[in-house]
Amino acid sequence: MIIIGELINASRKAIGAAIEGQDAAAIQKVAGDQHTAGADFIDVNAGIFVDKEPEYLSWLVQTVQQVVEGPCAIDSPNPKAIEAALGVHQGIPMINSISLEKERYDNLMPILAGTDMKVIALCMSDEGMPETVEDRLKIADKLVNGLLQNNVKVENIFVDPLVQPMSVNNDFGMEFINAVEQIMQKFEGIHTACGLSNISYGLPARPFLNQTFMVMAITKGLDGAIVNPLDKKMMANITAAETLAGKDNFCMNFLQAYRAGKFE
Ligand code: THG
């Protein structure tokens, strides 16, 4: 599972304040902790600061990479902010995300074309949010084919089928899960990724629902996740579910995690 650490997001109070106050040490603590806990990418999101988003997103990338030797996932709907952050990023980042929304698609595709960047392809269009498997597959098809035609390699694409809240519609859980399965079958070598926490929006015991939903998604092939890597139960669930799904030869990862005390 490719882990994208979600905690550096300006919509979280402490992070929003640290960005505004340019408190590098506070950001670096959260970045370092997530990296140590196993994050492969550190997501950076300054989306609440509309006018200053390009400036703040670049500052976040630089601040994170002063202490973490690893890539960021540059999380913004704004191509201008993404471009600014790319200008200072060291190594190969992940772009979070391109979608089928026309302005976003048209502005981001030339930035991605022919590069080796990783990209999340979010199943969203100008017609709004997808609800069914078919809605998601239609958008995924157009996004993936567009990226392939622009010489983005299939193994660098992470399709995000878009998690919608269970409290809104009884079908939203399985429509997402079945979309993961079909996308993984349809495009050989592709990845899927998502932010899980929307599933539990409006309900109590959210971590419990998120952890359970993660296990369900792993059985259908989900292999990327925007999560809190400091959530020990979530991380233990991921390890156990991947082992049980046959993705862990000789149960080596499971045994290693056990010996490291990850299940205590
Ligand atoms: N898809 C893609 N990108 C995304 C999302 C997605 N980026 C933003 C969001 N959704 C994922 N990121 C977050 C970041 C923080 C939180 C939720 C989603 C969050 N954190 C808890 C808090 O603030 O209290 C802390 C986490 C915890 O304790 O478990 O709520 O869907 N492509």
Side-chain angles (χ1 to χ4, degrees), residues 186-252:
K186 186 157 189 187
F187 306 101
E188 207 192 322
I190 208 160
H191 300 285
T192 40
C194 67
L196 278 168
S197 53
N198 253 352
I199 197 68
S200 59
Y201 181 80
L203 292 168
R206 294 189 65 177
F208 179 48
L209 284 168
N210 298 344
Q211 289 151 11
T212 304
F213 196 55
M214 173 63 89
V215 174
M216 293 170 66
I218 287 171
T219 68
K220 300 293 191 161
L222 184 79
D223 63 354
I226 307 163
V227 291
N228 174 6
L230 308 184
D231 177 343
K232 291 206 166 95
K233 281 195 175 154
M234 176 62 88
M235 296 301 273
N237 269 8
I238 291 172
T239 302
E242 289 206 301
T243 299
L244 294 168
K247 290 196 160 179
D248 178 14
N249 283 338
F250 305 108
C251 307
M252 290 295 279

Side-chain angles (χ1 to χ4, degrees), residues 4-13 43 45 75-76 95-98 104 120-122 158 160 162-163 193-198 206-207 210-211 226-231 234:
I4 303 155
E6 73 179 11
L7 293 176
I8 303 184
N9 189 308
S11 69
R12 303 180 66 233
K13 249 195 183 144
D43 195 87
N45 180 313
D75 186 352
S76 172
I95 303 300
N96 182 12
S97 50
I98 193 168
R104 202 160 160 184
I120 296 183
L122 181 65
F158 291 71
D160 181 344
L162 191 71
V163 173
C194 67
L196 278 168
S197 53
N198 253 352
R206 294 189 65 177
N210 298 344
Q211 289 151 11
I226 307 163
V227 291
N228 174 6
L230 308 184
D231 177 343
M234 176 62 88

Side-chain angles (χ1 to χ4, degrees), residues 54-130:
E55 180 196 328
Y56 282 164
L57 203 57
S58 309
W59 177 78
L60 281 177
V61 166
Q62 287 175 301
T63 303
V64 167
Q65 290 198 312
Q66 277 165 16
V67 294
V68 168
E69 209 174 309
C72 293
I74 300 171
D75 186 352
S76 172
N78 175 0
K80 288 259 172 321
I82 289 178
E83 243 183 317
L86 273 179
V88 297
H89 187 279
Q90 311 278 322
I92 301 173
M94 177 182 282
I95 303 300
N96 182 12
S97 50
I98 193 168
S99 75
L100 211 58
E101 294 156 285
K102 186 166 171 30
E103 206 192 308
R104 202 160 160 184
Y105 185 94
D106 289 350
N107 285 298
L108 273 178
M109 192 58 89
I111 295 172
L112 287 162
T115 72
D116 212 26
M117 291 190 272
K118 318 271 176 205
V119 60
I120 296 183
L122 181 65
C123 291
M124 209 152 92
S125 72
D126 289 318
E127 275 126 73
M129 314 259 243

